[in-house]
Amino acid sequence: MVLTGRTPTRRRLAAAVTALTCAIAVAAAGCTRDDGFRPGAADTGDPYVPGSGNGGYDVTHYGLDVSYDPASDRLTGRATITATATQDLSRFNLDLAGLAVSRVTVGDARAEHRRVDGELVVTPHDGLPRGRPFTVAVDYAGVPTAVTDGELGSGGFLHTADGAVALGQPDSAATWFPVNDHPSDKASYDLAVTVPDGLSALSNGVPGPKSSVDGWTTWRWSERTPMASYLTTLVIGDYRVVSGSHAGRPMVTAVAASLPATGGAARALARTGEIVDFLASRFGPYPFDSYGGIVVTDDRIGYALETQSRPVYGPDFFADDRPNVGVVAHELAHQWFGDSVSLSRWGDIWLNEGFASYAEWLWEEHDGGRTAQRNFELQYAATDWSQPSVEPGRERMFGTAVYKRGALTVHALRRTVGDDTFFRILRTWTAERAGGNATTSDFVALAERVANRQLRPLFDAWLVGGAAPTLP
Ligand SMILES: [Zn+2]
């Protein structure tokens, strides 16, 4: 993610209250059974996103079939979720914000369901034994909601002038489908989205066949590589869509039709393939089956987000018609750092943003601008060392210490171990952890193994030390 510098608003404690309410509901429902089956947790315990994510199961696939009518702002959906119980499970939660649920089945049987704020609580007819795969289907409908009090301004499902944009970090997916909404539970996705003829409906992954019936067109998208829920997006509206291929894989870019056909946004997106290839030369093979990018014009999107295989860029990056390729390099670098190798917990977000910020320096140097070393020197001089990169606190999870101090740490590692070892560390990380999740400790351990030397003190000083570290 890259912010455009607006003042973020603070999220209220509503989610924390939700979690507490759920805990009370668990007790009141008397769900402790003497057969060892028990409810899954209503939360993952990640303090950065209280209430988001759930326990007791692991999702492997989301099959989403939704239709959206911009005229009424009404969304109708069926989510078919394939998961495996990770405990003997009497009951489990999905995250779902707003929207009315009409029917839930688990396997072939109807399941009881109720809502507790942002949670959909599902009680299957029979308990789900640990290790058993199961399928839950949820029929739902309603007017989706925005997340207007997010750290980043507006996110969630936004009704726009010509359609809608569903987008946002750290959570947004629950505003348009029931989900285990935490990056620690990644899954593959198939999406069919039906919109009025003439509108585009863009999402992640490989495009499938389109079909039209009675004035409505169904667009299909498939992301086979595991994806964190906050990396999903749905963009509906009047877009200039360019469908091609790059390195043998589909490349789909889309720019809002109200923007100039050869303007800064279009010119920046047109360099996507070139930038991806440069980053692949440094980080290892591109991790997904498709490429692309989407530029939206709704000015509530005051950021760009690395939605998997197809980042979404807010309009401010291309103000004055500038072809801002720095932000493109940043979001594309996230395809390796954040999307393919994802966080286990949000307190480690520098693993996403530090590397993506460093990739901006690499790209700038490659593109004939300032060297990474020069950017490092300038940033070093400007850094407030009292703010840590790891566990930055919820209000600073998109702060300078995460982005810029994170990038300084990456370059300090490079200076310490040398270019060959440094890039071998990065490529080993992206290869060994592809499609999975990881922590800061995992990265430090891998760097030490590849470099065959102790590096923990270096990381401690550069990531969290309270004073300016000695230059390597
Ligand atoms: Zn970022």
Side-chain angles (χ1 to χ4, degrees):
M1 149 126 19
V2 174
L3 293 169
T4 49
R6 298 191 201 156
T7 308
T9 51
R10 290 180 64 175
R11 181 176 295 261
R12 292 191 299 267
L13 290 172
V17 174
T18 300
L20 183 61
T21 309
C22 297
I24 292 167
V26 167
C31 281
T32 307
R33 296 161 34 148
D34 56 12
D35 55 6
F37 282 67
R38 57 194 169 82
D43 192 278
T44 61
D46 187 330
Y48 288 75
V49 284
S52 290
N54 306 283
Y57 63 93
D58 180 49
V59 177
T60 52
H61 184 74
Y62 292 90
L64 306 176
D65 191 344
V66 303
S67 66
Y68 179 71
D69 184 0
S72 63
D73 193 20
R74 184 174 169 82
L75 181 138
T76 304
R78 163 170 266 221
T80 306
I81 302 167
T82 308
T84 300
T86 56
Q87 65 178 63
D88 288 341
L89 196 58
S90 62
R91 194 180 73 208
F92 62 89
N93 286 21
L94 290 160
D95 301 302
L96 184 65
L99 303 169
V101 173
S102 54
R103 177 185 164 98
V104 178
T105 58
V106 175
D108 296 328
R110 288 288 287 264
E112 286 179 31
H113 63 92
R114 61 191 167 84
R115 301 296 292 279
V116 183
D117 296 329
E119 305 278 328
L120 169 64
V121 184
V122 177
T123 307
H125 184 267
D126 298 309
L128 301 164
R130 178 179 181 168
R132 176 177 295 181
F134 64 94
T135 299
V136 50
V138 180
D139 292 325
Y140 60 99
V143 174
T145 52
V147 181
T148 50
D149 58 349
E151 297 285 346
L152 304 164
S154 294
F157 195 101
L158 301 174
H159 185 193
T160 62
D162 58 342
V165 176
L167 186 71
Q169 185 182 15
D171 40 36
S172 56
T175 61
W176 63 285
F177 62 93
V179 56
N180 192 19
D181 204 3
H182 191 272
S184 57
D185 190 2
K186 299 166 71 170
S188 58
Y189 285 73
D190 284 296
L191 170 66
V193 52
T194 302
V195 295
D197 283 351
L199 293 184
S200 299
L202 301 147
S203 187
N204 313 87
V206 174
K210 270 186 284 186
S211 52
S212 244
V213 178
D214 295 337
W216 293 78
T217 300
T218 300
W219 296 62
R220 294 180 177 82
W221 300 94
S222 175
E223 179 52 72
R224 286 187 297 176
T225 316
M227 174 162 66
S229 51
Y230 80 95
L231 297 172
T232 60
T233 189
L234 178 58
V235 177
I236 296 167
D238 192 7
Y239 286 82
R240 199 177 294 110
V241 180
V242 178
S243 298
S245 67
H246 179 78
R249 298 170 224 192
M251 163 86 81
V252 180
T253 60
V255 176
S258 58
L259 293 170
T262 56
R267 296 203 311 277
L269 273 202
R271 297 186 73 181
T272 293
E274 174 194 358
I275 295 170
V276 162
D277 289 348
F278 165 73
L279 295 174
S281 76
R282 300 297 187 270
F283 301 156
Y286 180 73
F288 303 123
D289 296 331
S290 65
Y291 304 93
I294 304 167
V295 180
V296 300
T297 52
D298 193 294
D299 63 12
R300 289 171 294 177
I301 306 293
Y303 54 90
L305 184 59
E306 60 270 23
T307 43
Q308 188 156 313
S309 76
R310 197 154 293 121
V312 174
Y313 305 92
D316 297 357
F317 294 103
F318 310 106
D320 307 325
D321 230 20
R322 286 183 298 117
N324 182 342
V325 288
V327 68
V328 177
H330 180 107
E331 305 308 335
L332 292 176
H334 274 306
Q335 304 306 308
W336 287 262
F337 297 96
D339 293 14
S340 176
V341 186
S342 299
L343 301 178
S344 299
R345 34 174 233 133
W346 285 108
D348 287 322
I349 188 171
W350 84 274
L351 283 173
N352 292 5
E353 302 303 346
F355 286 92
S357 299
Y358 190 64
E360 291 182 59
W361 295 355
L362 293 175
W363 170 259
E364 187 178 347
E365 179 173 325
H366 174 77
D367 205 31
R370 212 181 259 160
T371 63
Q373 174 65 24
R374 185 64 188 138
N375 268 314
F376 170 82
E377 290 162 2
L378 293 171
Q379 188 58 49
Y380 180 90
T383 293
D384 170 6
W385 300 98
S386 71
Q387 300 297 330
S389 300
V390 183
E391 293 294 357
R394 195 182 189 301
E395 290 167 35
R396 291 194 173 90
M397 66 186 288
F398 301 104
T400 305
V402 167
Y403 285 68
K404 302 300 187 185
R405 187 171 177 175
L408 290 174
T409 301
V410 175
H411 194 70
L413 172 66
R414 180 179 176 180
R415 297 277 303 173
T416 301
V417 301
D419 279 13
D420 287 354
T421 301
F422 171 74
F423 286 109
R424 196 148 37 89
I425 288 169
L426 299 197
R427 286 192 293 269
T428 305
W429 177 250
T430 60
E432 289 189 3
R433 295 283 175 167
N437 296 84
T439 64
T440 299
S441 293
D442 293 330
F443 183 75
V444 174
L446 181 137
E448 289 186 329
R449 171 163 60 83
V450 173
N452 194 28
R453 58 187 284 186
Q454 193 185 43
L455 294 166
R456 169 64 73 176
L458 173 92
F459 281 104
D460 284 346
W462 284 85
L463 289 172
V464 299
T470 308
L471 285 167

